[in-house]
Amino acid sequence: MRHGTLVPGSGRRIGDADWPGTPPQVASAAELPPPPTVSRIKVLHVITRLEAGAGGNTLLSALGMDPARYEVWIAGVPGGELWDRARAGGVRTVEIPGFRHTLTPVDLVVLWRLTRLVRDERFTVVHTHSAKGGFLGRLAARLCHTPVVVHTFHGVSFHPYQSRSRRLLYRRLERVTRRFTHRFLAVAPRVAEQAVEERLAPPGAVRVVPSAVELAHIPERFDPVARRVLGAPQATPLVGTVGRLDRQKAPLDFVRMAAALRAERPDTAFVMIGDGPLEGAVRRLAAELGVELTLTGHRTDAAWLVAGLDVFVITSLYEGLGRALTEALATARPVVATAVNGVPDLVEHGATGLLVPPADPERAARAVRWLFDHPRQAADMGRQGRRRARRGFTPEAMCAGIDACYRELLGLPPPGPAPGP
């Protein structure tokens, strides 16, 4: 007795075996009934400020996830140029009124608003960033019994240059919410190590997912057009930096480095790309030390302008990894960088650049002078730095690491071909 449904006009029934060697026939989408809508995994990123390195990293994390699988939201402090870009990329955004960079009594209201958002939207994953965003976001997720909570260390939130009371406060906030977190990510191996040493995360719970930068629009070598835009003659050695003019980036140390270098190389020109609260102090110190310094202010094309430099320098006192540093390496610029946090994971001394101690402008000046005196070795470091930046710090690699983290926590298989019968 034969079972199945007769196919009109074919003499066959549904379920009859195909003839040997006959490839299976796949119906076109137009022939099939419409499929049901498959729900996506809802992810909420909570970050204090959607700007600078951590903000850019978070935005790339949101934009790079598969939109067929994930519905991604970002919540954080209002203001900043990246919000419009997030919305243009299809990311749902929530700029929370009252959210500030520093802790204030208004944070109780911010926590209530965050909790209401998480409860109403029923996110599967809450992914937090930065100390304050991590504290409030993880606490809201805990109150709403969110299934998966992930926290990214973009750099440990406290450092020796903060007051003792501030360090103790941020350390306490991180440790309180540690037990609410299912997985920790870090932008560099040394950042992960420091998080474990400070007991911000338990051993074995931190996965390194390198912070990515967009490299497609960045030149792979020196660009004379960028040099002309910066206003320096082609024959003049040009040393520059990119970053916000604030205490973290130590822009006054850059000026002191420039003064020490000009004492022996008076033909050198200097440029700082960026703005910030210390701009006035930078101008005053440069005038006092007799340094001719160009300050461009904030530039949206900063990553391209770096290709016009001869040497790129960062004097940061602390730095998770450094997006501007990664971009400079991607343009094959010889670099001098302070050996802080995750920077030595990117800059290998003598191979992809030179490392110097923080708060030591004299050592930084000597390192820049060494690169000028050894142009062949400097060019080799630039090429090796370009290979490292362009192979290991792409948005695709970063988002694949985040996707793998989510899948593991949710019990989902890795992406691949559909399973057979």
Side-chain angles (χ1 to χ4, degrees), residues 95-137:
E95 299 179 63
I96 301 177
F99 206 168
R100 298 288 184 269
H101 176 56
T102 56
L103 291 167
T104 69
V106 180
D107 289 330
L108 291 174
V109 178
V110 174
L111 176 61
W112 175 78
R113 288 171 173 157
L114 259 178
T115 302
R116 189 176 63 175
L117 172 65
V118 175
R119 183 192 63 231
D120 292 348
E121 295 298 333
R122 300 177 64 84
F123 293 100
T124 302
V125 179
V126 169
H127 189 156
T128 63
H129 310 260
S130 68
K132 183 176 175 180
F135 174 72
L136 295 176

Side-chain angles (χ1 to χ4, degrees), residues 193-267:
E193 177 187 9
Q194 189 176 2
V196 173
E197 289 175 345
E198 294 288 348
R199 293 185 289 125
L200 310 183
V206 187
R207 173 179 294 174
V208 175
V209 178
S211 180
V213 296
E214 295 175 291
L215 302 177
H217 66 292
I218 299 176
E220 295 191 10
R221 54 187 58 83
F222 176 82
D223 189 338
V225 178
R227 170 64 67 90
R228 286 198 294 272
V229 172
L230 290 172
Q234 297 289 343
T236 299
L238 181 60
V239 179
T241 190
V242 174
R244 183 167 169 77
L245 305 182
D246 59 16
R247 191 165 183 270
Q248 174 193 350
K249 305 296 183 180
L252 300 182
D253 283 347
F254 182 90
V255 178
R256 296 183 184 102
M257 175 276 301
L261 185 62
R262 278 182 64 89
E264 296 187 23
R265 301 288 297 261
D267 59 331

Side-chain angles (χ1 to χ4, degrees), residues 40-102:
R40 296 181 293 170
I41 300 168
K42 293 186 71 170
V43 179
L44 172 66
H45 289 272
V46 181
I47 184 169
T48 308
R49 295 184 299 184
L50 192 65
E51 60 183 35
N57 171 279
T58 302
L59 178 59
L60 289 181
S61 301
L63 295 175
M65 304 304 284
D66 181 3
R69 179 174 292 274
Y70 295 100
E71 178 186 335
V72 185
W73 295 52
I74 300 178
V77 172
E81 63 184 27
L82 297 182
W83 287 108
D84 288 339
R85 186 177 168 197
R87 285 186 281 267
V91 176
R92 301 286 297 273
T93 61
V94 182
E95 299 179 63
I96 301 177
F99 206 168
R100 298 288 184 269
H101 176 56
T102 56

